[in-house]
Amino acid sequence: MSDLLKRSPLEAAHVELGAKLVPFAGWNMPVQYTAILDEHSAVRTKAGVFDISHMGQFLVSGEGALEWLNKMLANNVAKLGEGEGQYTFLLNGHGGVIDDLIIYRTGESDFFLVVNASMIDEDFAWFAKHQPESIELRNESELWAGMAIQGPESAALFAAVCPGETLPPRNGISKTSTGAIVCRTGYTGEDGFEFFSPAEEGGEWLKKFVAAGAKPCGLGCRDSLRLEMCYPLNGNDLAPDRTPIEAGLGFFVDLEKGDFIGRETLAKQKAEGPAVKLVALQYTDKGAPPRAHYAVLSPEGETLGELSSGVHSPSLGTGIGLAYLPAAWTKIGTEVRIDVRGRQFPAKVVKKPFYKPAPKA
């Protein structure tokens, strides 16, 4: 393993719990503990815990922080009350996605941002490049250990591990009496929360959640879970040459809030319609597991694009994927073919998401 790989503060606990570690986004991270299907099922039916220590945490504060962030991000930060969070995009000047992130408002002029692991340095440099003197911007990514506890039993696990504490509401953020930050979002479609502790305490917290019943899970099932929900992965489904409008994520863009970086391109695409759209594709019969970069063809064999993500869905029992296709090929029910190493399998455009979690009882 390269010495350049970063190590999670939970790594010793992963080894103790039997994880298989692999390089991911510059980090040595667990891909699985037992089996991807087993861990996927645990999150859909009970609860699992993921290491998200590789993700970055930025703090922004100071007079005018809200107005500045509203010019840096695509969603409307002004809609956030204290203790609330939202999904948003950091865009380049052409409306392309530098990163997708979650921003939480923790005070009148205080904000907590959670960014993708591989984008920490690039995001911070982009923010710093546009930073006014009145705004304080801090990268605290190395100070925190992070865990995502996801699944129908996640709230019960929180109550067991943090007795007397209260989970924030959906899309909320709060701080426990021990100093941990708790966020209520998720990347699996199930109920759950993110738990950020001081880095040196992370391993013990992970063991507490596992002892309470959370199944330790790796990145393998995290990918199948998020893709069943059509949640995009930056670097695959989102990229600097793709906009949120093309990705079908215009709901997280506020063109009415005033100017922001990338707005001009997004406004034009919304008015005229994007030339390409990110669609959900599902096999119509059995087939080999689809993967990113596999070609998407018309029934006549014309190349239309390629998969940005692909996986065999454990919940649906068939192949699913996302792909940017020409707008004329994006209507629900449109038939295509996916080329898997020279073998073509029939698929069709389907409505997002692929999977809908069971409603709460």
Side-chain angles (χ1 to χ4, degrees):
M1 182 180 68
S2 171
D3 291 336
L4 298 178
L5 284 178
K6 296 181 180 178
R7 296 177 182 278
S8 164
L10 309 183
E11 184 171 302
H14 291 318
V15 172
E16 187 176 333
L17 292 167
K20 179 182 179 182
L21 298 164
V22 299
F24 175 81
W27 289 72
N28 193 39
M29 298 295 291
V31 64
Q32 67 181 63
Y33 286 82
T34 53
I36 290 174
L37 293 180
D38 182 42
E39 293 164 22
H40 183 108
S41 176
V43 174
R44 287 278 181 250
T45 58
K46 295 181 179 178
V49 55
F50 300 89
D51 183 357
I52 58 169
S53 301
H54 57 313
M55 302 189 78
Q57 295 81 38
F58 298 166
L59 272 62
V60 175
S61 61
E63 185 177 354
L66 186 152
E67 292 77 9
W68 176 60
L69 286 167
N70 244 350
K71 292 182 179 178
M72 297 296 299
L73 301 169
N75 210 336
N76 192 343
V77 183
K79 290 183 177 179
L80 293 178
E82 292 186 22
E84 296 177 342
Q86 67 183 195
Y87 179 72
T88 188
F89 301 100
L90 186 66
L91 304 177
N92 59 33
H94 304 291
V97 177
I98 298 173
D99 198 6
D100 62 333
L101 57 99
I102 306 286
I103 179 171
Y104 300 93
R105 190 173 189 174
T106 55
E108 177 65 25
S109 299
D110 302 299
F111 298 88
F112 181 72
L113 283 63
V114 181
V115 306
N116 279 299
S118 63
M119 301 305 297
I120 294 173
D121 292 342
E122 187 172 337
D123 287 3
F124 194 79
W126 185 254
F127 277 116
K129 178 181 178 180
H130 298 86
Q131 178 186 2
E133 290 185 359
S134 62
I135 304 299
E136 183 179 7
L137 169 67
R138 300 205 308 272
N139 180 0
E140 293 198 348
S141 304
E142 295 185 358
L143 302 181
W144 297 93
M147 285 145 272
I149 294 85
Q150 295 280 299
E153 297 180 358
S154 57
L157 285 176
F158 179 80
V161 174
C162 303
E165 307 281 359
T166 303
L167 268 177
R170 183 72 181 167
N171 294 323
I173 185 171
S174 63
K175 206 164 192 175
T176 71
S177 59
T178 63
I181 296 173
V182 184
C183 305
R184 195 84 180 272
T185 55
Y187 196 50
T188 65
E190 302 296 337
D191 189 17
F193 59 93
E194 292 75 43
F195 188 90
F196 298 99
S197 75
E200 62 275 13
E201 300 175 5
E204 291 305 312
W205 282 112
L206 175 62
K207 293 176 185 177
K208 288 180 182 179
F209 284 115
V210 171
K215 187 174 187 62
C217 298
L219 295 168
C221 80
R222 190 167 172 82
D223 192 54
S224 56
L225 289 160
R226 70 94 189 166
L227 188 48
E228 286 184 348
M229 296 301 299
C230 291
Y231 291 157
L233 176 64
N234 193 45
N236 283 44
D237 312 307
L238 301 174
D241 62 346
R242 300 295 188 188
T243 74
I245 301 297
E246 293 171 330
L249 299 169
F251 181 78
F252 302 103
V253 173
D254 189 342
L255 294 171
E256 307 301 320
K257 69 174 182 175
D259 195 26
F260 60 90
I261 295 175
R263 183 188 181 283
E264 184 176 353
T265 300
L266 271 54
K268 186 173 186 294
Q269 285 185 345
K270 185 171 183 181
E272 299 177 356
V276 296
K277 297 180 182 178
L278 185 67
V279 297
L281 299 175
Q282 182 174 331
Y283 280 170
T284 55
D285 202 346
K286 293 181 178 179
R291 300 285 184 244
H293 306 302
Y294 286 176
V296 180
L297 313 172
S298 72
E300 292 74 30
E302 175 190 4
T303 299
L304 303 172
E306 66 174 32
L307 294 180
S308 53
S309 288
V311 73
H312 176 83
S313 165
S315 299
L316 279 66
T318 189
I320 60 174
L322 298 175
Y324 285 94
L325 299 184
W329 289 85
T330 58
K331 185 178 178 181
I332 301 298
T334 299
E335 296 181 353
V336 298
R337 290 179 175 273
I338 296 176
D339 187 304
V340 181
R341 298 187 296 275
R343 300 171 64 197
Q344 295 182 13
F345 299 97
K348 65 179 180 180
V349 178
V350 299
K351 188 177 180 180
K352 301 175 185 176
F354 295 105
Y355 174 83
K356 291 184 178 179
K360 292 182 180 179

